[in-house]
Amino acid sequence: MAVLGATGSIGASTLDVIARHPARFRASVLSAHRNVEALVALCVRHRPELAVIADPTLAGILERRLAAAGVRCAIGAGETALVEAAAGALCDTVVAAIVGAAGLRSTLAAARAGKRLLLANKESVVMAGPLLLTALREGGGELIPIDSEHNAIFQCLPATRAPLGRSGVRRLILTASGGPFRGLTRTELAAVTPAQACKHPNWTMGRKISVDSATLMNKGLEVIEAHHLFGAAPETIEVLVHPQSLVHSLVEYADGSLLAQLGNPDMRTAIAHALAWPERIEAGVTPLDLAAAPPLAFETPDLTTFRCLALAFQALRAGGDAPAILNAANEVAVEAFLAGTLPFLGIAEVVEAVLAELPAQAVVDIDTLVERDRTAREAARRLLRGAC
């Protein structure tokens, strides 16, 4: 197994499950963005055949640290090394857990190479959904989502994986916790801090995805992802706020049935399911005690206060590369918010302005898409400079 993004929260959960089944799984490739010390510690424990650092300026440091730790493995650096690792012979399964657009090329490479792709990098689908689906068809591999919501839908869909229209599926319902600011007004949100936004009530996640959860952009990206992963029309995808985070998503059928996947909020459940599918294995997750669980509540999202979710639906309906523009602008805006140079409500304002400035174009190829991503980021940064 290649765990790309091994030092992040998804990577940590994946390696925990792998370590519980040493006779079945082996982490043969590990990668990190810039965290050399964390990557070395993981290499000491898991003894991969290849360690990749995405920042090529850190290759020498990684080599020296691994040698000092007594770890003998090949070393790669840069995006080309990530792409080669994803497509190479050292793995038959790739866990795509790199955060953001940085994971796009390696994810596509794994799909083209026919790997079993366990996908946590939602930006690959959001930015390049049509390209990813084409790569999967050409490579002959399979994709299993490990976002908790999409994995829940995967579990609730018919085992035949027939097109939704022929499976009696009426709606896909993604649940959202509502984040740390559920119920607050725009006035109350005006002065919230990055520390408050990163304090998720139910999940332990990285800073960027925590902010996306607080704005509901994370759920918007998941809506776009569900459209591509499951062939669902935008009007058949809905979002419900579910503060307890025990129902991870639902599928509604034409006969009125609702199938839901429940469990304690722990990413290892979805990861273990994807690792062993179609079998089931121990994940190390405490079973959900329904008798002791709080009452389950559901509510419609506030699209006026949390504009990012509405903007994601807007980009999905626009089609083409609008989701990629949305994602790029959001990444820049969230980075500015975390740096303290943009207020929380400014995130949606920047994204909306960039979407208006750059109308959707057809998704042609990866190079064109990367260029549009760059253009959107430049537009977002120009807007931020003008606001300062």
Side-chain angles (χ1 to χ4, degrees):
M1 307 198 64
V3 183
L4 306 184
T7 58
S9 59
I10 297 294
S13 294
T14 300
L15 290 170
D16 179 87
V17 177
I18 288 174
R20 293 172 186 275
H21 303 275
R24 181 162 185 163
F25 306 117
R26 183 169 59 87
S28 55
V29 179
L30 298 177
S31 88
H33 176 46
R34 300 191 79 254
N35 195 336
V36 171
E37 297 303 328
L39 180 57
V40 169
L42 291 177
C43 290
V44 169
R45 181 178 181 188
H46 296 280
R47 300 286 166 165
E49 296 173 53
L50 172 65
V52 181
I53 192 78
D55 185 342
T57 66
L58 298 174
I61 297 175
L62 175 62
E63 184 175 13
R64 290 191 294 273
R65 294 283 197 277
L66 286 173
V71 177
R72 301 184 63 179
C73 68
I75 296 171
E79 186 175 56
T80 299
L82 282 171
V83 168
E84 292 174 350
L90 291 180
C91 63
D92 49 42
T93 299
V94 174
V95 179
I98 296 174
V99 175
L104 176 58
R105 290 187 185 274
S106 56
T107 300
L108 289 174
R112 282 193 295 268
K115 306 292 185 178
R116 188 178 203 185
L117 180 60
L118 308 189
L119 188 65
N121 174 255
K122 61 173 54 66
E123 290 82 5
S124 297
V125 188
V126 170
M127 289 180 64
L131 299 181
L132 178 60
L133 295 178
T134 297
L136 284 165
R137 285 194 298 270
E138 292 175 349
E142 61 182 345
L143 185 155
I144 304 176
I146 53 177
D147 268 348
S148 60
E149 294 82 1
H150 299 101
N151 184 264
I153 288 173
F154 185 91
Q155 294 189 49
C156 293
L157 287 173
T160 58
R161 306 300 167 205
L164 298 191
R166 297 205 300 269
S167 301
V169 173
R170 180 183 289 157
R171 288 188 303 164
L172 307 182
I173 303 172
L174 295 166
T175 55
S177 69
F181 303 140
R182 182 179 64 88
L184 298 188
T185 65
R186 290 183 63 83
T187 300
E188 292 169 320
L189 290 173
V192 299
T193 67
Q196 290 172 316
C198 290
K199 193 175 182 180
H200 195 280
N202 300 330
W203 297 93
T204 300
M205 304 182 293
R207 283 165 60 79
K208 194 269 181 183
I209 193 173
S210 294
V211 175
D212 283 347
S213 178
T215 64
L216 293 193
M217 178 60 87
N218 191 49
K219 204 55 49 181
L221 297 178
E222 289 174 5
V223 166
I224 298 169
E225 194 176 0
H227 163 71
H228 292 295
L229 291 178
F230 306 116
E235 62 272 14
T236 66
I237 307 171
E238 297 188 18
V239 172
L240 280 179
V241 174
H242 168 55
Q244 296 77 31
S245 293
L246 298 179
V247 177
H248 301 304
S249 278
L250 310 93
V251 174
E252 181 185 279
Y253 286 86
D255 60 8
S257 298
L258 269 174
L259 300 188
Q261 189 266 332
L262 288 78
N264 279 316
D266 190 317
M267 284 303 304
R268 292 176 298 174
T269 296
I271 291 167
H273 169 266
L275 286 174
W277 186 82
E279 300 175 37
R280 298 275 182 169
I281 58 172
E282 170 63 42
V285 178
T286 303
L288 176 60
D289 184 348
L290 285 172
L296 305 183
F298 301 89
E299 59 193 56
T300 55
D302 179 355
L303 298 183
T304 301
T305 301
F306 297 93
R307 286 282 300 145
C308 285
L309 179 55
L311 291 171
F313 271 105
Q314 175 186 316
L316 176 58
R317 295 187 188 99
D321 65 4
I325 301 298
L326 171 99
N327 178 72
N330 179 67
E331 286 193 12
V332 172
V334 169
E335 183 179 348
F337 168 69
L338 288 171
T341 59
L342 181 71
F344 181 77
L345 294 176
I347 296 173
E349 293 171 0
V350 169
V351 172
E352 187 166 20
V354 174
L355 283 172
E357 181 178 331
L358 300 173
Q361 296 181 5
V363 175
V364 178
D365 54 39
I366 185 66
D367 291 331
T368 304
L369 199 58
V370 169
E371 178 60 24
R372 286 282 283 175
D373 176 88
R374 184 190 63 78
T375 301
R377 290 171 191 274
E378 288 181 353
R381 293 187 180 105
R382 187 179 67 252
L383 287 166
L384 289 169
R385 288 194 297 270
C388 295

